[in-house]
Amino acid sequence: MKRKGIGIFFAGLGAGLLLSAAVLLITGHAGIHLFSNNSLAEDVWERTKVVEEYIDKYYWKEDMPDQKLSEAAAKGIVAALGDRYSAYFTEEEYEEAMNSVNGDYCGIGATLRLDSDTGRKYIGKIQAGQPAEQAGVREGDELRAVNGTDVSEKSLTEIVDMIKGEEGKKSVLTLVRTENGVSATKEITVVCKKIVTRSITSRLLEDKIGYIKISTFNNETVGQFKSALEQLERQGQRALIIDVRDNGGGSLTATVDMLDCLLPAGRLITEKNRARGDKVYESTDEEHFDKPMAVLINGSSASASEVFAGTLQVRGAAVLVGVKSFGKGIVQTIYSLKSSCGGGIKLTTGEYLLPDGRSIHEKGLEPDVEVKYTGDAANYRQEDDNQLQKAEEALENKTANP
């Protein structure tokens, strides 16, 4: 058996269901071609060729897919950088990564989970008002088949690919539902539609203080943030609390756009980039928010959320409340490899500086008002959220002593 893995791998050089936490991302297209006469390419070629020969001759399983071997080789090269934020993406991983950045996707609004002990697949979280819920799918249903095809031996990624697709695509799910100890098989038809991720929630607190929670920064977040801000203004908010606790980051573009709608003219951040040089982002001064603000942060507030909170702090627009943030001040760029080998590559491409020229990488942001959270870690309930209460106090003091 002679493999084609080496050829596929170097063609690749010629060119998750979720992004990991703590990322700040921009996207682009790869135009770099490494299939040239240089020591790295030659060395990789020779090493891969030798390894392939040993696998062909001695490895006990006869069929190892070439694509998996070449993808693993590409992942290995990026992993050798020793940078936990850089990664090679397969086509499926790249698509999921871009869904996270864009904030929308075509699907049924449900997740899958695997029981590692039994190998069985179950329906996980279901989004309210989306196709899965509307069709009658329930969390905890066991998935046995999709369109009559048994899924017991398929990976979660393969099953997701069987279900999701273009808007209007129909899939028949064979489910086993157990209620009161009785199991029944159900066949439910679900239809894919465009689903927009909700990354913003908001409400008006007591004393006319607005509250906006940002769970991530993606391309849909900007519009949702502006809508929430406008609604709170109509309700007569006199101050605002923005919550980026447990926000691992997201899109740099979205972050800058949201800062632009809050701050008057002036510097926002500086992106230091090896390939493109330094780029300074500034507010357009087309609009700004002139009421007292507080931002809630914690140790899981990272990257884009640190850009957001740190810029507001440096510009004197908001007081930070909570505990020191994660401390990630570097930028990743996702490049599409669709025109070459497929998939994509995420690389650390730069560093960002706050408006005062300060880097917070591996340092984090220090809150103006330090307070550790003492409530239920799984649920920020307003009545026992002492960090939120401290933010309200800080705004009261700021209003009383402008």
Side-chain angles (χ1 to χ4, degrees):
M1 175 185 66
K2 191 63 178 174
R3 300 185 187 281
K4 301 176 183 178
I6 290 178
I8 293 175
F9 173 61
F10 278 94
L13 284 181
L17 291 178
L18 294 173
L19 281 178
S20 62
V23 294
L24 191 151
L25 296 165
I26 53 181
T27 59
H29 296 278
I32 300 173
H33 293 266
L34 300 180
F35 194 37
S36 60
N37 185 24
N38 63 65
S39 58
L40 175 61
E42 291 174 357
D43 188 49
V44 173
W45 173 276
E46 291 300 326
R47 289 176 186 272
T48 307
K49 183 177 180 181
V50 171
V51 170
E52 182 187 36
E53 290 173 351
Y54 271 80
I55 290 174
D56 282 341
K57 188 172 182 179
Y58 297 111
Y59 189 62
W60 73 285
K61 287 186 177 180
E62 293 187 3
D63 296 318
M64 285 296 293
D66 291 332
Q67 184 173 348
K68 286 190 176 181
L69 292 176
S70 62
E71 288 173 346
K75 285 180 177 290
I77 285 182
V78 179
L81 296 173
D83 178 7
R84 57 177 170 158
Y85 299 113
S86 294
Y88 170 82
F89 292 142
T90 64
E91 291 185 16
E92 293 82 7
E93 291 167 343
Y94 174 75
E95 183 177 348
E96 295 297 337
M98 295 313 299
N99 285 343
S100 180
V101 173
N102 293 331
D104 60 44
Y105 64 97
C106 278
I108 64 171
T111 62
L112 291 175
R113 62 178 178 85
L114 172 69
D115 185 320
S116 57
D117 293 329
T118 65
R120 294 179 177 179
K121 287 82 177 178
Y122 294 90
I123 301 296
K125 296 293 183 182
I126 296 178
Q127 295 184 44
Q130 300 303 340
E133 183 191 61
Q134 293 172 343
V137 178
R138 295 184 188 175
E139 183 175 346
D141 286 348
E142 182 188 350
L143 179 64
R144 293 283 182 87
V146 176
N147 296 326
T149 300
D150 180 78
V151 297
S152 59
E153 299 299 321
K154 295 189 179 294
S155 68
L156 294 185
T157 300
E158 291 173 325
I159 298 170
V160 169
D161 287 340
M162 294 169 69
I163 299 172
K164 71 178 183 180
E166 298 294 328
E167 192 162 10
K169 176 184 175 181
K170 294 182 179 181
S171 298
V172 178
L173 309 183
T174 301
L175 304 166
V176 175
R177 181 175 300 164
T178 302
E179 295 178 303
N180 300 320
V182 179
S183 297
T185 300
K186 299 178 177 292
E187 289 197 345
I188 298 178
T189 300
V190 290
V191 182
C192 286
K193 79 168 190 177
K194 183 178 179 179
I195 297 175
V196 176
T197 303
R198 293 297 306 177
S199 54
I200 295 287
T201 56
S202 64
R203 63 181 185 271
L204 191 67
L205 306 177
E206 295 179 2
D207 299 325
K208 294 289 185 177
I209 295 177
Y211 172 86
I212 297 178
K213 169 71 174 177
I214 308 173
S215 60
T216 189
F217 291 87
N218 59 47
N219 295 342
E220 296 290 340
T221 306
V222 182
Q224 293 175 20
F225 180 76
K226 289 183 177 181
S227 295
L229 201 58
E230 290 169 1
Q231 183 177 17
L232 290 171
E233 284 291 283
R234 289 194 297 269
Q235 293 174 340
Q237 70 173 350
R238 62 182 183 84
L240 175 64
I241 296 173
I242 301 175
D243 189 349
V244 294
R245 290 175 296 182
D246 302 324
N247 182 323
S251 166
L252 173 62
T253 302
T255 307
V256 169
D257 287 347
M258 291 164 67
L259 287 170
D260 187 23
C261 78
L262 292 174
L263 293 171
R267 178 169 295 195
L268 299 177
I269 64 168
T270 299
E271 180 195 350
K272 300 184 71 65
N273 187 286
R274 173 185 174 185
R276 299 189 302 273
D278 295 356
K279 180 176 181 179
V280 177
Y281 294 87
E282 295 189 352
S283 176
T284 62
D285 202 27
E286 293 177 358
E287 54 185 333
H288 65 271
F289 187 79
D290 57 4
K291 297 176 181 178
M293 279 190 287
V295 180
L296 292 169
I297 61 171
N298 65 8
S300 296
S301 302
S303 201
S305 60
E306 291 177 293
V307 168
F308 184 82
T311 299
L312 292 174
Q313 182 188 42
V314 171
R315 291 284 300 271
V319 56
L320 302 193
V321 179
V323 296
K324 187 169 75 170
S325 63
F326 181 84
K328 179 178 179 288
I330 51 179
V331 180
Q332 279 69 51
T333 304
I334 298 180
Y335 296 96
S336 170
L337 301 178
K338 184 176 181 179
S339 62
S340 51
C341 62
I345 186 170
K346 179 180 69 168
L347 294 174
T348 298
T349 54
E351 177 184 27
Y352 69 79
L353 305 178
L354 296 180
D356 58 1
R358 177 165 46 104
S359 169
I360 53 86
H361 190 57
E362 298 184 344
K363 301 173 185 176
L365 294 169
E366 294 289 348
D368 299 296
V369 180
E370 185 171 7
V371 53
K372 292 183 180 180
Y373 183 70
T374 58
D376 181 1
N379 184 15
Y380 292 109
R381 294 182 301 183
Q382 185 174 344
E383 57 269 22
D384 30 325
D385 189 342
N386 62 308
Q387 290 179 326
L388 176 62
Q389 293 163 10
K390 188 62 71 171
E392 291 180 275
E393 290 177 17
L395 289 177
E396 291 291 350
N397 293 336
K398 194 169 183 180
T399 303
N401 302 286

